[in-house]
Amino acid sequence: DRNWTAELAREIVGRRCLEVFAGRGWLPRALADHGVDIQATSRFSAHDGSESGLVHYVIDMSAFEAVQTFDFEVLIMCWPPATGDALRAVKEARRLGRNFDIVFIGEPYSDLPYSLSGTADDAFFEACEVVSELKAYRDARGSQGVDVCQWMRFKEGQ
C-alpha cells in the first residue's frame, strides 16, 4: 500500500536503513520508490517466496551477519521468524555500538495465554519496547489481520 509506505518513508528518508527478513523485497522496493536509502537482506527459504523471484535487490544473508556488515540508523524487521534471530541481531548490533531505531512489522506481542505472536519471539518483545505505532499500516490492513508497524527500541541494560 503506497499510503502507509509513504508515511513510513517520510519518517526514515535521509537515514541509512537495513531491512532484515526482507523476503522477495516488496517493502524495500516500495521504500526505495519513496526515496529511502535501504539495503535488504534475507535468508532465502521456501517460506519467504524467494523462489518466485525477487522484486528488489535482496542479499542472501542472515540478520546477524547483516547487522555486522552494514552501517544503518534504522533496522527494519518485517515479519521476523519466531526463532530468536531477531533478538540475536539486535543484541549484536548493540554490542557493536550501533545506535539505531527499530521498525517492527508483524504480529504484536501478546501476554495472554496461548496468544503468542507468530513473529519474533517472546524474548525479543521482552527486550524491546514499543515507542509508537504507524497507524496508517493498521488502517491499510483493515480486517485482514491484527498485525502492526511499530517503532521500537532496545531496552537499556538488556
Side-chain angles (χ1 to χ4, degrees):
D1 181 274
R2 297 213 29 99
N3 291 325
W4 80 263
T5 56
E7 186 173 325
L8 178 57
R10 280 191 293 276
E11 297 290 327
I12 61 178
V13 74
R15 299 171 72 193
R16 290 176 314 278
C17 300
L18 171 64
E19 183 183 359
V20 293
F21 314 113
R24 295 182 63 202
W26 286 106
L27 181 57
R29 176 182 168 187
L31 292 174
D33 287 349
H34 292 298
V36 172
D37 175 19
I38 187 164
Q39 177 64 62
T41 68
S42 191
R43 292 301 297 163
F44 298 145
S45 62
H47 78 277
D48 70 4
S50 58
E51 74 281 356
S52 298
L54 303 177
V55 297
H56 185 78
Y57 181 68
V58 178
I59 297 172
D60 186 0
M61 178 183 289
S62 74
F64 189 84
E65 293 170 299
V67 300
Q68 292 175 322
T69 304
F70 298 103
D71 189 24
F72 58 93
E73 299 164 282
V74 178
L75 180 62
I76 302 172
M77 296 185 159
C78 189
W79 293 90
T83 59
D85 291 342
L87 181 56
R88 277 192 293 280
V90 169
K91 283 185 170 183
E92 177 64 3
R94 288 303 294 238
R95 186 191 71 75
L96 294 169
R98 299 197 189 283
N99 185 19
F100 57 96
D101 293 320
I102 301 167
V103 174
F104 169 83
I105 300 171
E107 294 175 359
Y109 176 72
S110 174
D111 59 3
L112 298 173
Y114 310 109
S115 296
L116 300 176
S117 172
T119 49
D121 63 0
D122 288 352
F124 171 83
F125 290 108
E126 291 163 3
C128 298
E129 60 187 343
V130 176
V131 175
S132 63
E133 183 176 336
L134 187 75
K135 189 176 178 315
Y137 178 81
R138 195 181 290 241
D139 291 345
R141 300 289 289 155
S143 61
Q144 294 180 38
V146 297
D147 44 306
V148 295
C149 178
Q150 297 174 324
W151 285 94
M152 302 180 87
R153 74 173 148 243
F154 191 62
K155 295 177 186 173
E156 293 304 317
Q158 292 293 318

